[in-house]
């Protein structure tokens, strides 16, 4: 329990620094603006129909490839200062085992991803609260937008996928979209961490993770190419259900995600264990 507590302290200490980090607050504000911009038309359509929408907007928020880029980029810039070493972290590092410190940094990466996508999911509801009402199913508004040409008439930016409406319940879609997004976001954070440690530059991590995000947009129309685009798996319309498409299966996606997390995490722990504290101090 003591080891877990130490690692959590390392992670929480990073989060505490957000209070004075203007970059974090700017990115959060931009993300909220993005959510508002890309969901308000659904509320407009609901008003035009004389109905209220169901609150299950999040699973469709970044089904469009270009919108996905907009929501992934802020997370990349949150992670861009990996490996998150400053004078305060050096002080903590000198008083605990490097392995526990590294685990704390990994926990921080996934805590950040979970908080980021939880914020996005919550904002899809909060920002449209006046025009939505709770219901167990998808509701008539989302069904109409998905199965008719209403989006073309009203100019809805977010694509309501008929595939998601047909094969997932609202609860399943909300949870699995959030889970896959958190895992993908965490992996991007680990990749940035590894690239920055190897290159001793923050540019490389941003470039590699940015490439993966842009790749998801580039291969959006190619079902087979989705197997090699991990960022594409954050939306359920890019996963196969019942062998109906050539998209990757949920099992494949989870195996690849977990394998990547294990490999990258072990690398980080092993490298930091061998790294000289004096060198790390000089790099701050």
């Amino acid at each position: 329990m003591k080891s877990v507590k130490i690692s959590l302290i390392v992670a929480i200490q990073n989060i505490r620094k957000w209070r004075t980090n203007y970059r974090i607050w700017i990115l959060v504000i931009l993300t909220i603006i993005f959510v508002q911009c890309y969901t308000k038309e659904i509320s407009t359509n609901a008003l035009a129909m004389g109905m209220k929408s169901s609150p299950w907007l999040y699973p469709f928020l970044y089904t469009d490839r270009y919108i996905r880029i907009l929501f992934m980029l802020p997370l990349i810039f949150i992670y861009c200062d990996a490996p998150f070493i400053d004078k305060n972290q050096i002080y903590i590092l000198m008083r605990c085992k490097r392995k526990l410190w590294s685990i704390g940094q990994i926990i921080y990466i996934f805590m950040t991803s979970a908080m980021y996508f939880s914020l996005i999911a919550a904002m899809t509801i909060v920002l449209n609260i006046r025009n939505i009402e709770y219901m167990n199913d998808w509701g008539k508004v989302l069904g109409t937008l998905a199965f008719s040409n209403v989006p073309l008439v009203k100019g809805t930016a977010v694509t309501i996928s008929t595939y998601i409406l047909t094969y997932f319940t609202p609860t399943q879609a909300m949870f699995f979209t959030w889970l896959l997004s958190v895992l993908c976001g965490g992996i991007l954070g680990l990749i940035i961490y590894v690239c920055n440690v190897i290159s001793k530059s923050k540019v490389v991590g941003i470039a590699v993770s940015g490439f993966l995000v842009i790749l998801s947009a580039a291969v959006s129309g190619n079902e087979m190419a989705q197997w090699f685009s991990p960022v594409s798996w954050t939306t359920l319309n890019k996963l196969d259900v019942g062998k109906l498409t050539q998209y990757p299966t949920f099992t494949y996606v989870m195996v690849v995600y977990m394998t990547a997390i294990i490999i990258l995490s072990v690398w980080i722990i092993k490298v930091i264990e061998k790294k000289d504290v004096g060198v790390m101090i000089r790099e701050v």
Side-chain angles (χ1 to χ4, degrees):
M1 283 298 295
K2 184 178 180 181
S3 298
V4 174
K5 183 179 179 180
I6 292 173
S7 294
L8 286 174
I9 289 173
V10 173
I12 293 171
Q13 185 61 28
N14 278 331
I15 293 176
R16 284 176 178 170
K17 290 184 290 185
W18 290 357
R19 290 178 295 181
T20 56
N21 190 330
Y22 296 114
R23 173 170 52 86
I24 298 294
W25 289 106
I26 290 172
L27 291 172
V28 167
I29 291 170
L30 285 175
T31 300
I32 293 174
I33 292 173
F34 291 157
V35 173
Q36 173 64 13
C37 289
Y38 292 113
T39 60
K40 65 180 181 180
E41 292 300 336
I42 296 178
S43 296
T44 302
N45 276 285
L47 289 174
M49 298 175 198
M51 297 181 288
K52 288 192 174 184
S53 173
S54 63
W56 320 117
L57 308 181
Y58 174 60
F60 310 102
L61 184 58
Y62 37 89
T63 52
D64 179 86
R65 55 183 174 176
Y66 300 116
I67 297 177
R68 186 188 304 121
I69 292 176
L70 287 178
F71 282 104
M72 286 296 177
L73 285 180
L75 189 60
I76 290 176
F77 285 109
I78 290 174
Y79 290 138
C80 71
D81 58 348
F84 319 117
I85 299 176
D86 56 16
K87 293 180 179 179
N88 180 267
Q89 284 293 331
I90 290 293
Y91 179 84
I92 297 174
L93 179 59
M94 293 176 67
R95 284 158 177 77
C96 70
K97 294 181 180 179
R98 298 182 202 179
K99 179 179 181 181
L100 298 180
W101 185 84
S102 299
I103 292 173
Q105 299 287 46
I106 294 167
I107 292 173
Y108 165 71
I109 287 173
F110 282 95
M111 286 177 65
T112 300
S113 184
M115 292 169 67
Y116 178 74
F117 288 108
S118 294
L119 172 69
I120 292 175
M123 286 299 103
T124 61
I125 297 174
V126 173
L127 295 176
N128 299 282
I129 194 70
R130 291 182 298 176
N131 299 310
I132 62 176
E133 63 181 4
Y134 178 80
M135 54 188 75
N136 293 322
D137 57 11
W138 290 110
K140 291 184 179 179
V141 172
L142 294 182
T144 301
L145 293 174
F147 292 100
S148 73
N149 63 347
V150 172
L152 298 177
V153 176
K154 297 294 181 180
T156 305
V158 174
T159 302
I160 308 300
S161 169
T162 57
Y163 185 82
I164 295 177
L165 262 66
T166 302
Y167 295 106
F168 297 92
T169 66
T171 303
Q172 289 174 334
M174 291 285 287
F175 174 73
F176 286 125
T177 300
W178 178 84
L179 175 63
L180 293 171
S181 297
V182 170
L183 293 177
C184 179
I187 290 172
L188 289 177
L190 294 177
I191 290 173
I192 293 172
Y193 194 111
V194 169
C195 290
N196 288 0
V197 169
I198 292 175
S199 66
K200 297 181 182 180
S201 169
K202 297 178 181 179
V203 176
V204 176
I206 294 176
V208 173
S209 57
F211 169 78
L212 291 174
V213 171
I214 294 172
L215 176 66
S216 70
V219 302
S220 182
N222 188 324
E223 291 188 7
M224 291 303 298
Q226 303 296 317
W227 290 75
F228 309 100
S229 176
V231 178
S232 298
W233 309 334
T234 54
T235 53
L236 298 178
N237 62 320
K238 298 301 182 183
L239 301 184
D240 180 69
V241 177
K243 298 182 179 180
L244 299 174
T245 68
Q246 291 183 311
Y247 288 130
T249 63
F250 182 79
T251 301
Y252 169 83
V253 168
M254 291 303 294
V255 169
V256 174
Y257 273 170
M258 297 311 297
T259 301
I261 290 170
I262 292 171
I263 292 174
L264 292 170
S265 298
V266 170
W267 188 94
I268 289 171
I269 292 170
K270 294 298 183 183
V271 168
I272 296 300
E273 276 186 319
K274 296 178 181 179
K275 201 170 183 66
D276 183 78
V277 176
V279 174
M280 297 175 72
I281 292 174
R282 288 194 294 272
E283 291 175 353
V284 174

